[in-house]
Amino acid sequence: MYDRPGYMFSPQGYTPMSPVTMERALSSALRKIGEVGPFYVVGHRSGAEYAQVFANMNLDLVVGAALVYPTDTALVGLLSANQTESVRMAKAQA
């Protein structure tokens, strides 16, 4: 279980909170506690978009994903042919 920075019991963390920023925060948290995968990611509502980005940026670590009641934005990203290119560009900037 992971609370995104600024939600529930997690400190505020990074701003602004873009999907790529959230992926970096989750990756950092996983490394910090020594988790190396493989992972199943689950995203609920707006978290579905973040789960997609994490999965796409970590194809070698993620073996499955579940999107629970994804928002329209998450669904558009899931169906978008350009999502892979967007993630590739985000990885290049990391």
Side-chain angles (χ1 to χ4, degrees):
M1 182 67 72
Y2 172 72
D3 289 329
R4 292 176 284 150
Y7 292 85
M8 297 297 291
F9 302 108
S10 296
Q12 184 58 39
Y14 313 99
T15 56
M17 296 296 190
S18 72
V20 172
T21 302
M22 295 305 261
E23 184 281 330
R24 290 180 182 148
L26 177 56
S27 291
S28 174
L30 290 169
R31 278 192 305 277
K32 187 180 280 188
I33 63 171
E35 292 293 335
V36 296
F39 299 112
Y40 289 92
V41 294
V42 178
H44 177 258
R45 299 293 299 151
S46 62
E49 185 177 359
Y50 303 128
Q52 285 180 65
V53 171
F54 181 83
N56 284 327
M57 291 183 75
N58 297 279
L59 293 173
D60 55 329
L61 300 176
V62 176
V63 294
L67 308 180
V68 182
Y69 297 115
T71 60
D72 291 342
T73 303
L75 287 174
V76 168
L78 182 63
L79 301 173
S80 171
N82 294 325
Q83 184 182 30
T84 304
E85 183 59 27
S86 298
V87 169
R88 192 174 306 130
M89 289 171 47
K91 283 178 110 172
Q93 294 173 1

Coordinates of all heavy atoms in Angstrom, one line a residue:
M1 N 0.8 -1.2 0.0 CA 0.0 0.0 0.0 C 0.9 1.2 0.0 O 1.9 1.3 0.7 CB -0.9 0.0 1.2 CG -1.8 1.1 1.3 SD -3.1 1.2 0.1 CE -4.1 -0.2 0.6
Y2 N 0.6 2.2 -0.8 CA 1.4 3.4 -1.0 C 0.4 4.6 -1.0 O -0.5 4.6 -1.8 CB 2.2 3.3 -2.3 CG 2.9 4.6 -2.7 CD1 4.0 5.0 -2.0 CD2 2.4 5.3 -3.8 CE1 4.7 6.1 -2.3 CE2 3.1 6.5 -4.1 CZ 4.2 6.9 -3.4 OH 4.9 8.0 -3.8
D3 N 0.6 5.6 -0.2 CA -0.1 6.8 -0.2 C 0.8 7.8 -1.0 O 1.9 8.0 -0.7 CB -0.3 7.4 1.2 CG -1.3 6.6 2.0 OD1 -2.2 6.0 1.4 OD2 -1.1 6.5 3.2
R4 N 0.2 8.4 -2.0 CA 0.9 9.4 -2.8 C 1.3 10.6 -1.9 O 0.5 10.9 -0.9 CB 0.0 9.9 -3.9 CG -0.2 8.8 -5.0 CD -1.1 9.3 -6.1 NE -2.5 9.2 -5.5 CZ -3.5 10.0 -5.9 NH1 -3.2 11.0 -6.8 NH2 -4.7 9.9 -5.4
P5 N 2.4 11.3 -2.2 CA 2.8 12.4 -1.4 C 1.7 13.4 -1.3 O 1.0 13.8 -2.3 CB 4.0 13.0 -2.1 CG 4.5 11.8 -2.9 CD 3.3 11.0 -3.2
G6 N 1.4 13.9 0.0 CA 0.4 14.9 0.2 C -1.0 14.3 0.5 O -2.0 15.0 0.7
Y7 N -1.1 12.9 0.4 CA -2.4 12.3 0.7 C -2.3 11.4 1.9 O -1.3 10.8 2.2 CB -2.8 11.4 -0.5 CG -3.2 12.2 -1.7 CD1 -2.2 12.6 -2.6 CD2 -4.5 12.6 -2.0 CE1 -2.5 13.4 -3.7 CE2 -4.8 13.3 -3.1 CZ -3.8 13.7 -4.0 OH -4.1 14.5 -5.1
M8 N -3.4 11.3 2.6 CA -3.5 10.4 3.8 C -2.4 10.8 4.8 O -2.4 11.9 5.2 CB -3.5 8.9 3.4 CG -4.7 8.5 2.6 SD -6.3 8.7 3.4 CE -6.2 7.5 4.6
F9 N -1.6 9.8 5.1 CA -0.6 10.0 6.1 C 0.8 10.4 5.6 O 1.8 10.4 6.3 CB -0.5 8.8 7.0 CG -1.8 8.5 7.6 CD1 -2.5 7.4 7.2 CD2 -2.3 9.3 8.6 CE1 -3.7 7.1 7.8 CE2 -3.6 9.0 9.2 CZ -4.3 7.9 8.8
S10 N 0.9 10.6 4.3 CA 2.2 10.9 3.7 C 2.5 12.4 3.7 O 1.6 13.2 3.6 CB 2.2 10.5 2.2 OG 2.1 9.1 2.1
P11 N 3.8 12.8 3.9 CA 4.1 14.2 3.9 C 3.9 14.8 2.5 O 3.7 14.1 1.5 CB 5.6 14.2 4.2 CG 6.1 12.8 3.9 CD 4.9 11.9 4.1
Q12 N 3.9 16.1 2.4 CA 3.5 16.8 1.1 C 4.4 16.4 0.0 O 3.9 16.1 -1.1 CB 3.6 18.3 1.3 CG 3.2 19.1 0.1 CD 1.8 18.8 -0.4 OE1 0.9 18.7 0.5 NE2 1.6 18.7 -1.6
G13 N 5.7 16.3 0.1 CA 6.6 15.8 -1.0 C 6.7 16.8 -2.1 O 6.8 18.0 -1.9
Y14 N 6.7 16.3 -3.3 CA 7.1 17.0 -4.5 C 5.9 17.8 -5.0 O 4.8 17.4 -4.9 CB 7.5 16.0 -5.6 CG 8.5 15.0 -5.2 CD1 8.0 13.7 -4.8 CD2 9.8 15.3 -5.1 CE1 8.9 12.7 -4.4 CE2 10.7 14.3 -4.6 CZ 10.3 13.1 -4.3 OH 11.1 12.1 -3.9
T15 N 6.2 19.0 -5.7 CA 5.2 19.7 -6.4 C 5.8 20.3 -7.7 O 7.0 20.5 -7.7 CB 4.7 20.9 -5.5 OG1 5.8 21.7 -5.2 CG2 4.0 20.5 -4.3
P16 N 5.0 20.4 -8.7 CA 3.6 20.0 -8.9 C 3.6 18.5 -9.0 O 4.6 17.8 -9.4 CB 3.2 20.7 -10.2 CG 4.5 20.9 -10.9 CD 5.6 21.1 -9.9
M17 N 2.4 18.0 -8.8 CA 2.2 16.5 -8.8 C 1.7 16.0 -10.2 O 0.5 15.8 -10.5 CB 1.1 16.1 -7.8 CG 1.5 16.4 -6.4 SD 3.0 15.4 -6.0 CE 3.0 15.7 -4.3
S18 N 2.6 15.9 -11.1 CA 2.3 15.3 -12.4 C 2.5 13.8 -12.3 O 3.1 13.3 -11.4 CB 3.3 15.8 -13.5 OG 4.6 15.3 -13.3
P19 N 1.9 13.1 -13.3 CA 2.1 11.6 -13.3 C 3.5 11.2 -13.3 O 3.9 10.2 -12.6 CB 1.4 11.2 -14.5 CG 0.3 12.2 -14.7 CD 0.9 13.5 -14.3
V20 N 4.4 11.9 -14.0 CA 5.8 11.5 -14.0 C 6.5 11.8 -12.7 O 7.3 11.0 -12.2 CB 6.5 12.3 -15.2 CG1 8.1 12.1 -15.1 CG2 6.0 11.8 -16.5
T21 N 6.1 12.9 -12.0 CA 6.6 13.2 -10.7 C 6.2 12.1 -9.7 O 7.0 11.7 -8.8 CB 6.1 14.6 -10.2 OG1 6.5 15.6 -11.1 CG2 6.6 14.9 -8.8
M22 N 4.9 11.7 -9.8 CA 4.4 10.6 -8.9 C 5.2 9.3 -9.2 O 5.5 8.6 -8.2 CB 2.9 10.4 -9.1 CG 2.1 11.6 -8.7 SD 2.4 12.1 -7.0 CE 1.1 11.4 -6.3
E23 N 5.5 9.0 -10.4 CA 6.3 7.8 -10.8 C 7.6 7.9 -10.1 O 8.1 6.9 -9.5 CB 6.4 7.6 -12.3 CG 7.1 6.4 -12.7 CD 8.6 6.4 -12.6 OE1 9.2 7.4 -12.7 OE2 9.2 5.3 -12.3
R24 N 8.2 9.0 -10.2 CA 9.6 9.2 -9.6 C 9.5 9.0 -8.0 O 10.4 8.4 -7.4 CB 10.2 10.5 -9.9 CG 10.5 10.6 -11.4 CD 11.1 11.9 -11.7 NE 11.4 12.0 -13.2 CZ 11.4 13.0 -13.9 NH1 11.0 14.2 -13.4 NH2 11.7 13.0 -15.2
A25 N 8.4 9.6 -7.4 CA 8.3 9.4 -6.0 C 8.1 8.0 -5.6 O 8.7 7.5 -4.6 CB 7.1 10.3 -5.5
L26 N 7.2 7.3 -6.3 CA 7.0 5.9 -6.0 C 8.3 5.0 -6.2 O 8.6 4.2 -5.4 CB 5.9 5.3 -6.8 CG 5.6 3.8 -6.7 CD1 5.3 3.5 -5.2 CD2 4.4 3.4 -7.5
S27 N 9.0 5.3 -7.3 CA 10.2 4.5 -7.6 C 11.2 4.8 -6.5 O 11.9 3.8 -6.0 CB 10.8 5.0 -9.0 OG 10.0 4.5 -10.0
S28 N 11.3 6.0 -6.1 CA 12.3 6.4 -5.0 C 11.9 5.7 -3.7 O 12.8 5.1 -3.0 CB 12.3 7.9 -4.8 OG 13.1 8.2 -3.7
A29 N 10.6 5.7 -3.4 CA 10.2 5.0 -2.1 C 10.4 3.5 -2.2 O 10.9 2.9 -1.2 CB 8.7 5.2 -1.9
L30 N 10.2 2.9 -3.3 CA 10.4 1.4 -3.5 C 11.9 1.1 -3.3 O 12.3 0.1 -2.7 CB 9.9 0.9 -4.8 CG 8.4 0.9 -4.9 CD1 8.0 0.6 -6.4 CD2 7.8 -0.1 -4.0
R31 N 12.8 1.9 -3.9 CA 14.2 1.7 -3.8 C 14.7 1.9 -2.4 O 15.5 1.1 -1.9 CB 15.0 2.7 -4.7 CG 15.1 2.3 -6.2 CD 16.1 3.1 -6.9 NE 15.9 4.5 -6.9 CZ 15.0 5.2 -7.6 NH1 14.3 4.6 -8.5 NH2 14.8 6.5 -7.5
K32 N 14.1 2.9 -1.7 CA 14.5 3.2 -0.3 C 14.2 2.0 0.6 O 15.0 1.8 1.5 CB 13.8 4.4 0.2 CG 14.2 4.9 1.5 CD 13.4 6.1 2.0 CE 14.0 7.3 1.3 NZ 13.5 8.6 1.8
I33 N 13.1 1.3 0.4 CA 12.8 0.1 1.2 C 13.3 -1.2 0.7 O 13.1 -2.3 1.2 CB 11.3 0.1 1.5 CG1 10.5 -0.2 0.3 CG2 10.9 1.3 2.3 CD1 9.0 -0.5 0.5
G34 N 14.1 -1.1 -0.4 CA 14.7 -2.3 -1.0 C 13.9 -3.2 -1.8 O 14.2 -4.4 -2.1
E35 N 12.7 -2.7 -2.3 CA 11.9 -3.5 -3.2 C 12.4 -3.4 -4.6 O 12.7 -2.4 -5.1 CB 10.4 -3.0 -3.1 CG 9.8 -3.3 -1.8 CD 9.5 -4.7 -1.5 OE1 9.5 -5.5 -2.4 OE2 9.5 -5.1 -0.3
V36 N 12.4 -4.6 -5.2 CA 13.0 -4.6 -6.6 C 12.0 -5.2 -7.6 O 12.3 -5.3 -8.8 CB 14.3 -5.4 -6.6 CG1 15.4 -4.7 -5.8 CG2 14.1 -6.8 -6.2
G37 N 10.8 -5.7 -7.2 CA 9.9 -6.3 -8.1 C 10.0 -7.7 -8.2 O 10.9 -8.3 -7.6
P38 N 9.2 -8.4 -9.0 CA 8.2 -7.8 -9.9 C 7.0 -7.2 -9.1 O 6.8 -7.6 -8.0 CB 7.8 -8.9 -10.8 CG 8.0 -10.2 -10.0 CD 9.2 -9.8 -9.1
F39 N 6.3 -6.3 -9.8 CA 5.2 -5.6 -9.1 C 3.9 -5.8 -9.9 O 3.9 -5.9 -11.1 CB 5.5 -4.1 -9.0 CG 6.7 -3.7 -8.3 CD1 7.8 -3.2 -8.9 CD2 6.8 -3.9 -6.9 CE1 9.0 -2.9 -8.2 CE2 7.9 -3.6 -6.2 CZ 9.0 -3.0 -6.8
Y40 N 2.8 -5.7 -9.1 CA 1.5 -5.6 -9.7 C 1.1 -4.2 -9.2 O 1.2 -3.9 -8.0 CB 0.5 -6.6 -9.1 CG 0.8 -8.0 -9.6 CD1 1.6 -8.9 -8.9 CD2 0.2 -8.4 -10.8 CE1 1.8 -10.2 -9.4 CE2 0.4 -9.7 -11.2 CZ 1.2 -10.6 -10.5 OH 1.4 -11.8 -11.0
V41 N 0.6 -3.4 -10.1 CA 0.2 -2.0 -9.7 C -1.4 -1.9 -9.8 O -2.0 -2.5 -10.7 CB 0.8 -0.9 -10.5 CG1 2.3 -0.8 -10.3 CG2 0.5 -1.1 -12.0
V42 N -1.9 -1.2 -8.8 CA -3.4 -1.0 -8.8 C -3.6 0.5 -8.6 O -3.0 1.1 -7.7 CB -4.0 -1.8 -7.6 CG1 -5.5 -1.5 -7.5 CG2 -3.8 -3.3 -7.7
G43 N -4.4 1.1 -9.4 CA -4.7 2.5 -9.3 C -6.2 2.7 -9.3 O -7.0 2.1 -10.1
H44 N -6.7 3.5 -8.3 CA -8.1 3.8 -8.1 C -8.4 5.2 -8.5 O -7.7 6.1 -8.1 CB -8.5 3.5 -6.7 CG -9.9 3.9 -6.4 ND1 -10.3 5.0 -5.7 CD2 -11.1 3.2 -6.7 CE1 -11.6 5.1 -5.6 NE2 -12.1 4.0 -6.2
R45 N -9.4 5.5 -9.3 CA -9.8 6.8 -9.8 C -8.6 7.5 -10.4 O -8.0 7.0 -11.4 CB -10.4 7.6 -8.7 CG -11.7 7.0 -8.1 CD -12.9 7.0 -9.1 NE -13.2 8.3 -9.5 CZ -13.8 8.5 -10.7 NH1 -14.1 7.6 -11.5 NH2 -14.1 9.7 -11.1
S46 N -8.2 8.6 -9.9 CA -7.0 9.4 -10.5 C -5.7 8.6 -10.4 O -4.8 8.8 -11.2 CB -6.9 10.8 -9.9 OG -6.6 10.7 -8.5
G47 N -5.7 7.7 -9.4 CA -4.5 6.9 -9.2 C -4.2 5.9 -10.4 O -3.1 5.4 -10.6
A48 N -5.3 5.7 -11.2 CA -5.2 4.8 -12.3 C -4.2 5.4 -13.4 O -3.4 4.7 -14.0 CB -6.5 4.6 -13.0
E49 N -4.2 6.7 -13.5 CA -3.3 7.4 -14.4 C -1.9 7.2 -14.0 O -1.0 6.9 -14.7 CB -3.7 8.9 -14.6 CG -2.8 9.6 -15.6 CD -3.3 11.1 -15.7 OE1 -4.2 11.5 -15.1 OE2 -2.6 11.7 -16.5
Y50 N -1.7 7.4 -12.7 CA -0.3 7.3 -12.1 C 0.1 5.8 -12.2 O 1.3 5.6 -12.5 CB -0.3 7.7 -10.6 CG -0.8 9.1 -10.4 CD1 -1.8 9.4 -9.5 CD2 -0.2 10.2 -11.2 CE1 -2.2 10.7 -9.4 CE2 -0.6 11.5 -11.0 CZ -1.6 11.8 -10.1 OH -2.1 13.0 -9.9
A51 N -0.8 4.9 -12.0 CA -0.4 3.4 -12.1 C 0.0 3.1 -13.6 O 1.0 2.4 -13.8 CB -1.6 2.6 -11.7
Q52 N -0.7 3.7 -14.5 CA -0.3 3.5 -15.9 C 1.1 4.0 -16.2 O 1.9 3.4 -16.9 CB -1.3 4.2 -16.9 CG -2.6 3.6 -17.0 CD -3.5 4.4 -18.0 OE1 -3.1 4.5 -19.1 NE2 -4.5 5.0 -17.4
V53 N 1.3 5.2 -15.8 CA 2.7 5.8 -16.1 C 3.8 5.0 -15.4 O 4.8 4.7 -16.0 CB 2.7 7.3 -15.6 CG1 4.1 7.9 -15.7 CG2 1.7 8.1 -16.5
F54 N 3.5 4.6 -14.1 CA 4.5 3.8 -13.4 C 4.8 2.5 -14.2 O 5.9 2.1 -14.4 CB 4.1 3.4 -12.0 CG 5.1 2.6 -11.3 CD1 6.2 3.2 -10.7 CD2 5.0 1.2 -11.2 CE1 7.1 2.4 -10.0 CE2 5.9 0.4 -10.6 CZ 7.0 1.1 -10.0
A55 N 3.7 1.8 -14.6 CA 3.8 0.6 -15.4 C 4.6 0.8 -16.7 O 5.5 0.0 -17.0 CB 2.4 -0.1 -15.6
N56 N 4.2 1.8 -17.4 CA 4.9 2.1 -18.7 C 6.3 2.5 -18.6 O 7.1 2.2 -19.5 CB 4.1 3.1 -19.5 CG 2.8 2.5 -20.1 OD1 2.8 1.4 -20.5 ND2 1.8 3.3 -20.2
M57 N 6.7 3.1 -17.5 CA 8.1 3.6 -17.3 C 8.9 2.5 -16.6 O 10.1 2.6 -16.5 CB 8.1 4.8 -16.5 CG 7.6 6.0 -17.2 SD 7.7 7.6 -16.3 CE 9.5 7.9 -16.5
N58 N 8.3 1.4 -16.2 CA 9.0 0.3 -15.6 C 8.5 -1.1 -16.1 O 8.2 -2.0 -15.4 CB 8.7 0.3 -14.0 CG 9.3 1.6 -13.4 OD1 10.4 1.7 -13.1 ND2 8.4 2.6 -13.2
L59 N 8.5 -1.2 -17.4 CA 8.0 -2.4 -18.1 C 8.7 -3.6 -17.7 O 8.2 -4.7 -17.6 CB 8.1 -2.2 -19.6 CG 7.2 -1.2 -20.3 CD1 7.6 -1.0 -21.7 CD2 5.8 -1.5 -20.1
D60 N 10.0 -3.5 -17.3 CA 10.8 -4.7 -16.8 C 10.4 -5.1 -15.4 O 10.8 -6.2 -15.0 CB 12.3 -4.4 -17.0 CG 12.7 -3.1 -16.2 OD1 11.9 -2.2 -16.1 OD2 13.8 -3.1 -15.7
L61 N 9.7 -4.3 -14.7 CA 9.4 -4.6 -13.3 C 8.0 -4.9 -13.0 O 7.6 -5.5 -12.0 CB 9.8 -3.4 -12.4 CG 11.3 -3.0 -12.4 CD1 11.5 -1.8 -11.5 CD2 12.2 -4.1 -11.9
V62 N 7.1 -4.4 -13.9 CA 5.6 -4.5 -13.6 C 5.1 -5.7 -14.4 O 5.3 -5.8 -15.7 CB 4.9 -3.2 -14.0 CG1 3.4 -3.4 -13.9 CG2 5.4 -2.1 -13.1
V63 N 4.4 -6.6 -13.7 CA 3.9 -7.8 -14.4 C 2.4 -7.8 -14.5 O 1.8 -8.7 -15.2 CB 4.4 -9.1 -13.7 CG1 5.9 -9.3 -13.8 CG2 3.9 -9.1 -12.2
G64 N 1.8 -6.8 -13.9 CA 0.3 -6.7 -14.0 C -0.2 -5.4 -13.5 O 0.5 -4.8 -12.7
A65 N -1.4 -5.0 -14.0 CA -2.0 -3.8 -13.5 C -3.5 -3.9 -13.4 O -4.1 -4.6 -14.3 CB -1.6 -2.6 -14.4
A66 N -4.1 -3.2 -12.5 CA -5.5 -3.2 -12.4 C -5.9 -1.7 -12.2 O -5.4 -1.0 -11.3 CB -6.0 -4.0 -11.2
L67 N -6.8 -1.3 -13.0 CA -7.3 0.1 -12.9 C -8.8 0.1 -12.4 O -9.6 -0.5 -13.1 CB -7.2 0.8 -14.3 CG -5.9 0.7 -15.0 CD1 -5.9 1.5 -16.3 CD2 -4.8 1.3 -14.1
V68 N -9.0 0.6 -11.2 CA -10.3 0.5 -10.6 C -11.0 1.8 -10.7 O -10.5 2.8 -10.2 CB -10.2 0.1 -9.1 CG1 -11.5 0.0 -8.4 CG2 -9.3 -1.2 -9.0
Y69 N -12.2 1.8 -11.4 CA -12.9 3.0 -11.6 C -12.0 4.2 -12.1 O -12.0 5.2 -11.5 CB -13.7 3.5 -10.4 CG -14.7 2.5 -9.9 CD1 -14.6 1.9 -8.7 CD2 -15.8 2.2 -10.7 CE1 -15.6 0.9 -8.3 CE2 -16.8 1.3 -10.3 CZ -16.6 0.7 -9.1 OH -17.6 -0.2 -8.7
P70 N -11.3 4.0 -13.2 CA -10.4 5.0 -13.7 C -11.1 6.3 -14.1 O -12.2 6.2 -14.6 CB -9.6 4.3 -14.9 CG -10.6 3.3 -15.3 CD -11.3 2.8 -14.1
T71 N -10.5 7.4 -14.0 CA -11.0 8.7 -14.4 C -11.0 8.7 -16.0 O -10.3 7.9 -16.6 CB -10.2 9.9 -13.9 OG1 -8.9 9.7 -14.4 CG2 -10.3 9.9 -12.4
D72 N -11.7 9.6 -16.5 CA -11.7 9.8 -18.0 C -10.3 10.0 -18.5 O -9.9 9.5 -19.5 CB -12.6 10.9 -18.4 CG -14.1 10.6 -18.2 OD1 -14.4 9.4 -18.1 OD2 -14.9 11.6 -18.2
T73 N -9.5 10.8 -17.8 CA -8.1 11.1 -18.2 C -7.3 9.8 -18.2 O -6.5 9.6 -19.2 CB -7.5 12.1 -17.2 OG1 -8.3 13.3 -17.1 CG2 -6.0 12.4 -17.6
A74 N -7.5 9.0 -17.3 CA -6.8 7.7 -17.2 C -7.2 6.8 -18.4 O -6.4 6.2 -19.1 CB -7.0 7.0 -15.9
L75 N -8.5 6.8 -18.7 CA -9.0 6.0 -19.9 C -8.4 6.5 -21.2 O -8.0 5.7 -22.0 CB -10.5 6.0 -19.9 CG -11.2 5.2 -18.8 CD1 -12.7 5.4 -18.9 CD2 -10.8 3.7 -19.0
V76 N -8.4 7.8 -21.3 CA -7.8 8.4 -22.6 C -6.4 8.0 -22.7 O -5.9 7.6 -23.8 CB -8.0 10.0 -22.6 CG1 -7.2 10.6 -23.7 CG2 -9.5 10.3 -22.7
G77 N -5.6 8.1 -21.6 CA -4.2 7.7 -21.6 C -4.1 6.2 -22.0 O -3.1 5.8 -22.7
L78 N -5.0 5.4 -21.5 CA -4.9 4.0 -21.8 C -5.1 3.7 -23.2 O -4.5 2.8 -23.8 CB -5.9 3.2 -20.9 CG -6.0 1.7 -21.0 CD1 -4.7 1.1 -20.5 CD2 -7.2 1.2 -20.2
L79 N -6.0 4.4 -23.8 CA -6.4 4.2 -25.2 C -5.5 5.0 -26.2 O -5.6 4.8 -27.4 CB -7.8 4.6 -25.4 CG -8.8 3.8 -24.6 CD1 -10.2 4.4 -24.7 CD2 -8.8 2.3 -24.9
S80 N -4.7 5.9 -25.7 CA -3.9 6.8 -26.6 C -2.7 6.1 -27.2 O -1.9 5.4 -26.5 CB -3.4 8.0 -25.8 OG -2.5 8.7 -26.5
A81 N -2.6 6.2 -28.5 CA -1.5 5.6 -29.2 C -0.2 6.4 -28.9 O 0.9 5.9 -29.1 CB -1.7 5.7 -30.7
N82 N -0.3 7.6 -28.4 CA 0.8 8.5 -28.1 C 1.4 8.3 -26.7 O 2.4 8.8 -26.4 CB 0.5 9.9 -28.3 CG 0.2 10.3 -29.8 OD1 0.8 9.7 -30.7 ND2 -0.7 11.2 -30.0
Q83 N 0.7 7.5 -25.9 CA 1.1 7.3 -24.5 C 2.5 6.8 -24.5 O 3.4 7.2 -23.7 CB 0.2 6.5 -23.7 CG 0.6 6.4 -22.3 CD -0.3 5.5 -21.5 OE1 -0.9 4.5 -22.0 NE2 -0.5 5.8 -20.2
T84 N 2.8 5.8 -25.3 CA 4.2 5.2 -25.2 C 5.2 6.2 -25.5 O 6.3 6.3 -24.9 CB 4.2 4.0 -26.2 OG1 3.2 3.1 -25.9 CG2 5.6 3.3 -26.1
E85 N 5.0 7.0 -26.5 CA 6.0 8.1 -26.9 C 6.1 9.1 -25.8 O 7.2 9.5 -25.5 CB 5.5 8.8 -28.2 CG 6.5 9.8 -28.7 CD 7.9 9.2 -29.0 OE1 8.1 8.0 -29.3 OE2 8.9 10.0 -28.8
S86 N 5.0 9.5 -25.1 CA 5.0 10.4 -24.0 C 5.9 9.9 -22.9 O 6.7 10.6 -22.3 CB 3.6 10.7 -23.5 OG 2.9 11.3 -24.5
V87 N 5.7 8.6 -22.6 CA 6.5 8.0 -21.5 C 7.9 7.9 -21.9 O 8.8 8.1 -21.1 CB 5.9 6.6 -21.2 CG1 6.8 5.8 -20.3 CG2 4.5 6.7 -20.5
R88 N 8.2 7.5 -23.1 CA 9.6 7.5 -23.6 C 10.3 8.9 -23.4 O 11.4 8.9 -23.0 CB 9.6 7.0 -25.1 CG 11.0 6.6 -25.5 CD 11.0 6.0 -26.9 NE 10.1 4.9 -27.0 CZ 9.2 4.8 -27.9 NH1 9.0 5.7 -28.9 NH2 8.4 3.7 -27.9
M89 N 9.6 9.9 -23.8 CA 10.1 11.3 -23.6 C 10.3 11.6 -22.2 O 11.4 12.2 -21.8 CB 9.2 12.3 -24.3 CG 9.2 12.2 -25.8 SD 8.0 13.2 -26.7 CE 8.1 14.7 -25.9
A90 N 9.4 11.2 -21.3 CA 9.6 11.5 -19.9 C 10.8 10.8 -19.3 O 11.5 11.3 -18.5 CB 8.3 11.1 -19.1
K91 N 11.0 9.5 -19.8 CA 12.1 8.8 -19.3 C 13.4 9.4 -19.7 O 14.4 9.5 -19.0 CB 12.1 7.3 -19.8 CG 11.1 6.4 -19.1 CD 11.1 5.1 -19.8 CE 11.7 4.1 -18.9 NZ 11.6 2.7 -19.4
A92 N 13.4 10.0 -20.9 CA 14.7 10.6 -21.4 C 15.0 11.9 -20.6 O 16.2 12.2 -20.5 CB 14.5 11.0 -22.9
Q93 N 14.0 12.5 -20.1 CA 14.2 13.7 -19.3 C 14.6 13.4 -17.8 O 15.0 14.3 -17.1 CB 12.9 14.6 -19.3 CG 12.6 15.2 -20.6 CD 11.2 15.9 -20.6 OE1 10.6 16.0 -19.6 NE2 10.8 16.4 -21.8
A94 N 14.3 12.2 -17.4 CA 14.6 11.8 -16.0 C 16.1 11.8 -15.7 O 16.9 11.7 -16.4 CB 14.0 10.4 -15.7

